[in-house]
Amino acid sequence: MTRRRIRVPSPHRTRTALAAGSTLALALAGLAATTTSASAASTDLVLNEVYGGGGNAGAAYTNDFVELANHGSAPASLDGLSLQYGSASGNLGGGSAPGSGSLKVDLQGSVAPGHTFLVRLAPGSGTGQELPRPDQSSTAINLSGTAGKVALVRGTTVLSCGAACATDPAVVDFLGYGGANDFEGHPAAATTNATSSARSGAADARDTDDNAADFTTGTPTPVNAAGETGGGTGPGPEPEQASIPAVQGHGHRSPFDGKRVVTTGVVTAKKFDGYWLQDATGDGDDTTSDGVYVYAGASGAKPEVGTTVTVTATVSEFRPSSRTGPNLALTELTDATFTGAAQQEKMPAPVLIGPGGRVAPAQNADSGDGSGNRVDVETTGDFRPDRDAIDFYETLESMLVEVRDAQVVGPTNSYGELTVVPSGTTGAPRTRSGGVRYASYETPNTARLTVDDEIVYQQMPAANVGDTLTGAVSGPLSYDYGTFRVYPTSVPTVRSGGLTKEVTQAPARNEVAIATFNVENLDPTDPQEKFDRLAETIVHNLAAPDVLALEEVQDDTGPECPNGPSSTCTSDGVVSADRTLRMLTDTIAAAGGPAYQWRQISPVNLADGGQPTGNIRVAFLFRTDRGVSFVDRAGGDATTATDVVRRADGQAALTLSPGRIAPGDEAWQDSRKPLAGEFTYHGRTFFVIANHFNSKGGDEPLLGRWQPPVRSSETQRHTQAGLVHDFVARIQAVQPDAEVVVVGDLNDFEFSRTSQILQDGRTLVSLPTLLAPAERYSYVFDGNSQVLDQILVSPALIGNRSAGFSGRVRGYDVVHVNAEFADQVSDHDPQVVRISP
C-alpha cells in the first residue's frame, strides 16, 4: 500500500490519525516499559485515580475524572496516548463490537516527574463541588460510578482486544474495578458516587499489575499538575469577553490559547462531535477568520443550526494526529457550554473561493527563500495571506465558504472524500482528463480543496476526475490529514465529464509486452469480485501482456492481524502466495486470457513491511504461448542474493532466477525486496527487475506546519535505487547491449532523485519522462495526479532518447483505468512497454 491514510470512518472517526503500526512503535519520553504476560506494560506513567460518580446523587465532585501520575525522573509525553473506557461487561470505546465506539480522550501535553495530571470528564446533574482546575477536559467519557474499565493506551485508535485488553501490548496501564470482566491480576473494589478508586500507599507507589492490590476505594482526592486540590478552589478565573475574530486573531495561533472566553455567534453547521460558530457580521478584516469550531464530543449537547448562541469555553489549538506533529493546528473551543443569545442574527453569507472571489496564492511563500531554512509557519513564518496559501486558508478557518462549478481533480474515495479546484482555476499543470498534475516540488497546487462528507455522512456521490460539482458547494472550511477541506451542508450534484477507462494497444506478432501493476494487497480473503475485475483489467485493458510484474501480492491467508500482532492476535506464519497467484491466474484464464505461469520468492515472515501480517511481495506472471520463456536457475530464497555472471558465449546471466537483489542490505529493512528474472523471447535473453520501493509514509504534508516539508521516506528509497542501479550496471559491465527492463511501484516521482539515481550514467532511461506531460501520472493523491509507478529500460532498448520512443521500444502506455476513478480495483494505474526483438 502506498500513500494511504489510516482512518476510522465517521461518525466514529477519531480526532487523530496514526500511520499503520504506530500504536506499537510510538516512543514515549519517560516511559521505560517492561511487558509481562499477565498484565499491561508496567511503566513510570500510571493511572493514579479514577472517579465515576461526578454530579450524581451524593457525589463528592461535579465531574468524573481520571488522574495520571508520573513516577519517573523525566517528563512523560502524553502526545499520541489516549484514555479509553468500557463498561464492566462492554468493550473499550463503548461500541457494539471490539474496536468501535467513541468513549475515549486523546491526551495532550506532558506530566512532569513526580507530578500528577488531572483529566476532567463528563458532568452529572451538578451535585458536588468543583474539581481543581483540570489539565485537560473532555465530555467524551461518562464513567460508571460503580464498575468499569479504564485503559491508558499508546495510540488513539480504539482497541479491538475485547475482554483481553489488560494484556494488550498497546496498553500502558489498565484498571478494572467493581464487576469488570477485564483487569490486571484481580479487579479493584467497586466504587460509589462518593468514592473513587485510587492507587494505594505513598504518592510514588509502584504498579504491581494487580488492580486489587494497587487500588483502594475511598474519598476522591483529585490533584492537578500544579498541585492544587479540590474543596473550594473553584473553576478558575472569570472568562474574558471576546469576539470570534478576536479569538482567532492575526495569525495561526489564538492570542487566547488556553484561556476561558465568552463569545457569541450563529451556528452555521454541526457534525457528530461539535459545531461551527461564526460572527454574524465579522470584523471587516480579511486577515482574521470570523468562524470557530466548538468541540463537544460525540455525546455533547449541540445547538440547532441557524440559532445564535453565547458560548463559554476554553480556547484550544487542536493539532490532528499529534500535538507536536506536522499538521496545522485548528483554533477550537472546548469544554463549552452555551445559551441562546438575546438577539437572533441572520446566517452569514459564505465566502466565494476561486475566480470572482478570493483566490489562494499559488505558493507557500515560507517554502521558497532558497536558503534551505525551515520555518514553523505558525510561530516563525511571516503571516502574509496575500502571498502564502497556508496563511490564506487560515483567514477562512471555520468560516462558511463556497466553490462554484468545482472541477473534480481527485475521485471520491472510501472515506467519502473527493478533491476539487474552483471552476476557472488556472496556473497549475493539468492532465489529459482535467486533473492537476504534480510536476515538481515547487508546484504544490494550492487551489485544491478536499470535499468531505462529515456533515452529509455516507451521502457523497461517486465522482471521477474531470467531473463537475454543479452550482455551489458550500460549508465550513477546516483542515485535517494535511489538506484544507470543505464540509458541504448539502449533498453535491455531479455532472459527468465522460471519463472512460483506457484500453492499450495489443503487442504485434514480433513484439513482447512487459507490464507492471500494483494490485493493492491482493490475497485470497478478498472478494471474488476483486479477482474478476483484476482479470478483466489484465485481459482487456492491458491486452494480456507477455510479462506482468505484480506488486502488493500477499500470502495465502492474508493479513490475519491487520492491526499488527498482539497478545490476542498472532501471525499464523504462512508466507506462501501460491493460492493467491493461482486464484488470480485461474480467474484470468476464465476471463478469456492466457494460462499465465508465475515466479516469486516468499519473504521471511513479517520482514518485508506492508500491511501487518500480510507478507507482501512482488511476483512475475508470464505467458509462454507467444514465445516467452522463463529461465529458471534454482536456489533463490528470501535471504540469498542473486548476482551476474558471464556465460560461455560472453553474454550476461543471473546466478539465481528468480532471485532477490541484495536482500540482506539494510536498505530493504521492513520493505519489499526487488525480484530479478531472466527471460527469453524466441531465444533472445532479456532481464526484468520488479520493484516496490519504500512507501512515502512519514513524509510531511505539502500544506503543513513545517515549510518546506521534509520528505524523510526518500532517504531509504535513494539507497534502494542505488542498489538496483548498481545491479543493472553489473549486467551491463558483462554485456553492454543487455536488454534490461526495471519496473514497479517506485513510490517516487519521475523528477525525483530516486528516479535520477536509477538513471545515473545513463544506466537506465525512465519512460515516463518521454511521455507528453499531460500523460505523466499513475496515481492520484489528495487531488495531485503524479507518477509513482515507472518502467525504465536500458539504453540498448531505447536508442536516441531525444527522438522519443525509438530503437526497439515500440510503445509505452500508462493505462488509466484506476487512479482517476471512484470505481477502482486498485489505487494505481498499470503500465506497459512493447519491445521489438
Side-chain angles (χ1 to χ4, degrees):
M1 196 176 297
T2 48
R3 305 184 70 187
R4 187 164 307 281
R5 294 178 293 272
I6 306 300
R7 295 198 172 197
V8 178
S10 187
H12 304 298
R13 186 178 296 171
T14 61
R15 305 192 80 220
T16 62
L18 296 177
S22 61
T23 297
L24 301 181
L26 189 64
L28 305 173
L31 298 183
T34 58
T35 302
T36 68
S37 61
S39 61
S42 300
T43 69
D44 291 330
L45 186 64
V46 295
L47 297 169
N48 204 50
E49 187 170 5
V50 171
Y51 174 62
N56 299 338
Y61 290 93
T62 57
N63 291 67
D64 298 345
F65 70 83
V66 171
E67 180 185 290
L68 307 175
N70 179 8
H71 295 157
S73 58
S77 173
L78 298 178
D79 293 343
L81 275 68
S82 62
L83 288 174
Q84 300 186 17
Y85 171 69
S87 66
S89 59
N91 300 304
L92 289 181
S96 59
S100 64
S102 59
L103 300 183
K104 70 180 186 69
V105 177
D106 299 337
L107 298 171
Q108 297 178 341
S110 65
V111 188
H115 284 248
T116 56
F117 185 96
L118 184 64
V119 183
R120 181 172 65 186
L121 301 173
S125 59
T127 302
Q129 63 181 330
E130 292 285 347
L131 291 169
R133 190 177 311 169
D135 302 302
Q136 185 171 339
S137 295
S138 173
T139 58
I141 295 178
N142 190 344
L143 299 172
S144 166
T146 57
K149 304 184 290 280
V150 177
L152 177 62
V153 178
R154 293 183 184 91
T156 55
T157 301
V158 173
L159 294 181
S160 57
C161 37
C165 290
T167 59
D168 193 284
V171 171
V172 177
D173 197 15
F174 192 94
L175 170 64
Y177 62 102
N181 63 357
D182 196 7
F183 40 80
E184 292 183 351
H186 303 83
T191 57
T192 67
N193 292 340
T195 59
S196 68
S197 193
R199 197 163 287 278
S200 309
D204 63 348
R206 299 294 168 170
D207 186 8
T208 69
D209 298 327
D210 187 324
N211 292 157
D214 290 341
F215 287 87
T216 301
T217 299
T219 302
T221 57
V223 182
N224 64 15
E228 299 167 341
T229 60
T233 58
E238 287 296 315
E240 300 180 49
Q241 294 282 341
S243 68
I244 294 174
V247 168
Q248 284 282 5
H250 292 269
H252 287 270
R253 300 187 68 86
S254 170
F256 290 88
D257 186 18
K259 298 180 179 179
R260 296 286 288 176
V261 298
V262 177
T263 194
T264 299
V266 181
V267 179
T268 59
K270 62 181 178 179
K271 61 186 182 80
F272 78 101
D273 65 358
Y275 53 96
W276 285 271
L277 201 64
Q278 187 166 332
D279 192 290
T281 57
D283 63 352
D285 184 351
D286 285 349
T287 67
T288 60
S289 170
D290 299 331
V292 70
Y293 186 68
V294 184
Y295 177 69
S299 59
K302 305 168 190 71
E304 292 302 313
V305 173
T307 59
T308 302
V309 294
T310 296
V311 174
T312 302
T314 300
V315 180
S316 173
E317 293 292 340
F318 171 73
R319 192 182 311 284
S321 298
S322 168
R323 189 178 181 87
T324 58
N327 287 310
L328 296 169
L330 289 166
T331 301
E332 295 185 345
L333 301 181
T334 63
D335 194 24
T337 60
F338 65 86
T339 58
Q343 179 178 343
Q344 294 297 303
E345 303 284 353
K346 291 183 179 179
M347 183 79 75
V351 175
L352 176 64
I353 296 181
R358 294 170 65 175
V359 178
Q363 293 294 330
N364 302 322
D366 289 317
S367 310
D369 64 1
S371 65
N373 294 328
R374 270 165 48 90
V375 299
D376 180 348
V377 300
E378 296 177 352
T379 58
T380 58
D382 294 332
F383 190 70
R384 288 289 302 275
D386 59 325
R387 63 181 180 88
D388 190 295
I390 290 175
D391 296 346
F392 167 84
Y393 287 115
E394 169 66 26
T395 67
L396 296 169
E397 180 185 281
S398 296
M399 290 179 62
L400 284 180
V401 300
E402 72 176 24
V403 288
R404 297 175 186 164
D405 293 327
Q407 302 165 347
V408 178
V409 296
T412 308
N413 63 26
S414 60
Y415 305 114
E417 305 165 338
L418 54 87
T419 310
V420 302
V421 295
S423 178
T425 296
T426 60
R430 305 304 282 266
T431 68
R432 64 186 249 295
S433 55
V436 175
R437 188 169 67 87
Y438 189 55
S440 73
Y441 298 125
E442 289 70 45
T443 56
N445 303 328
T446 58
R448 296 168 297 124
L449 290 168
T450 300
V451 181
D452 196 307
D453 76 339
E454 285 279 2
I455 295 174
V456 293
Y457 179 56
Q458 293 185 337
Q459 300 178 69
M460 190 66 70
N464 300 327
V465 171
D467 290 351
T468 300
L469 304 186
T470 59
V473 174
S474 177
L477 181 83
S478 191
Y479 177 93
D480 205 354
Y481 298 100
T483 67
F484 293 98
R485 50 191 62 212
V486 178
Y487 297 128
T489 55
S490 61
V491 179
T493 300
V494 176
R495 181 175 68 239
S496 173
L499 187 68
T500 58
K501 300 193 174 189
E502 290 187 345
V503 176
T504 197
Q505 179 178 333
R509 183 178 58 84
N510 64 336
E511 293 175 344
V512 60
I514 303 170
T516 178
F517 193 1
N518 183 317
V519 291
E520 195 175 3
N521 290 326
L522 182 68
D523 68 74
T525 67
D526 288 325
Q528 181 61 40
E529 179 191 12
K530 179 172 181 177
F531 286 89
D532 293 340
R533 294 184 61 195
L534 286 171
E536 173 65 17
T537 300
I538 292 166
V539 173
H540 176 66
N541 302 88
L542 267 182
D546 299 294
V547 177
L548 175 57
L550 301 175
E551 299 87 52
E552 297 200 15
V553 174
Q554 294 191 333
D555 67 36
D556 290 335
T557 55
E560 62 273 13
C561 302
N563 296 319
S566 69
S567 59
T568 58
C569 186
T570 57
S571 170
D572 60 14
V574 173
V575 294
S576 167
D578 287 347
R579 183 181 174 208
T580 306
L581 292 167
R582 185 177 300 107
M583 287 179 66
L584 178 60
T585 54
D586 285 351
T587 307
I588 290 172
Y596 277 108
Q597 298 182 37
W598 71 81
R599 297 291 187 274
Q600 63 93 41
I601 292 177
S602 296
V604 173
N605 189 35
L606 308 180
D608 280 18
Q611 194 172 15
T613 66
N615 286 314
I616 196 171
R617 86 287 310 274
V618 296
F620 292 124
L621 302 186
F622 61 96
R623 53 187 296 183
T624 60
D625 59 309
R626 283 184 16 94
V628 171
S629 298
F630 191 88
V631 179
D632 286 293
R633 292 198 177 89
D637 58 28
T639 59
T640 304
T642 188
D643 208 342
V644 183
V645 295
R646 187 187 303 273
R647 298 188 324 205
D649 60 2
Q651 303 299 293
L654 300 181
T655 58
L656 305 173
S657 178
R660 288 179 149 197
I661 296 176
D665 194 285
E666 63 181 13
W668 308 111
Q669 183 175 359
D670 294 324
S671 185
R672 290 73 54 163
K673 282 68 173 174
L675 188 67
E678 186 174 328
F679 294 83
T680 62
Y681 181 64
H682 293 300
R684 186 179 182 95
T685 296
F686 64 96
F687 303 92
V688 182
I689 300 172
N691 302 273
H692 189 181
F693 284 2
N694 179 49
S695 81
K696 287 186 173 293
D699 287 3
E700 293 176 346
L702 295 179
L703 302 176
R705 171 186 183 184
W706 295 99
Q707 295 292 328
V710 166
R711 303 181 298 273
S712 58
S713 68
E714 70 182 10
T715 301
Q716 187 174 1
R717 286 193 299 280
H718 292 171
T719 308
Q720 293 174 341
L723 291 172
V724 174
H725 168 275
D726 293 350
F727 187 82
V728 175
R730 291 204 298 277
I731 295 175
Q732 293 170 341
V734 172
Q735 182 184 342
D737 66 347
E739 300 175 0
V740 184
V741 183
V742 173
V743 304
D745 178 2
L746 302 184
N747 268 313
D748 225 335
F749 316 117
E750 82 280 12
F751 54 80
S752 68
R753 178 60 186 149
T754 300
S755 183
Q756 293 166 5
I757 290 170
L758 287 166
Q759 299 175 76
D760 279 351
R762 205 164 186 263
T763 298
L764 292 164
V765 176
S766 171
L767 297 186
T769 63
L770 303 183
L771 288 172
E775 290 283 349
R776 293 179 195 169
Y777 62 97
S778 65
Y779 193 82
V780 179
F781 182 74
D782 287 342
N784 269 344
S785 297
Q786 57 201 245
V787 168
L788 289 187
D789 312 82
Q790 296 193 45
I791 295 180
L792 303 94
V793 299
S794 55
L797 290 171
I798 196 63
N800 182 2
R801 175 174 177 155
S802 64
F805 298 115
S806 61
R808 290 198 295 278
V809 172
R810 297 306 186 189
Y812 166 65
D813 189 11
V814 179
V815 188
H816 300 298
V817 293
N818 284 317
E820 299 173 292
F821 295 85
D823 178 24
Q824 53 186 222
V825 69
S826 167
D827 46 353
H828 291 251
D829 286 332
Q831 52 194 274
V832 60
V833 61
R834 303 191 321 277
I835 298 172
S836 176

